Amino acid sequence: KQELNSALFGHEAVNLETSMTTKQKGHINLLLHVSQRKDLEGLVTGLVGVGQDITDQKRAEIEKSRIAQELQTFIDTANAPIFGIDS
């Protein structure tokens, strides 16, 4: 709500992430771009929004973080030296 008020009364456009529940997919994540709609005199008369489903992207980010943490734990707790070789 704060971001929408910002678009309505301050910035001309804002991006925000939110989530919603649908009948088909259940929980989805959305990236919303909200812009001001103005009349001929430049007065704000409303907002126009476009949403993009970023559920798969968010899942991939979470999985990437999980794997990175798992690998870091493996390196931190290894009982033998670990070497990396660049070719």
Side-chain angles (χ1 to χ4, degrees):
K1 182 167 173 133
Q2 181 180 2
E3 290 87 354
L4 294 177
N5 282 335
S6 176
L8 189 56
F9 300 112
H11 301 92
E12 289 193 15
V14 295
N15 290 311
L16 59 114
E17 288 186 23
T18 189
S19 61
M20 65 183 311
T21 303
T22 67
K23 290 181 182 179
Q24 297 80 15
K25 286 187 167 184
H27 176 81
I28 63 170
N29 296 314
L30 293 173
L31 176 63
L32 296 177
H33 177 80
V34 181
S35 301
Q36 293 177 342
R37 181 169 185 234
K38 297 181 180 181
D39 63 14
L40 294 175
E41 297 167 356
L43 299 174
V44 177
T45 60
L47 299 173
V48 177
V50 177
Q52 178 181 359
D53 183 350
I54 58 169
T55 305
D56 292 339
Q57 177 183 345
K58 295 298 276 184
R59 284 189 189 131
E61 289 173 6
I62 291 168
E63 181 66 8
K64 179 182 172 184
S65 294
R66 185 193 67 75
I67 291 170
Q69 181 61 43
E70 188 176 296
L71 290 172
Q72 188 64 50
T73 301
F74 174 74
I75 290 169
D76 291 344
T77 60
N79 290 330
I82 299 174
F83 296 94
I85 300 173
D86 291 335
S87 55

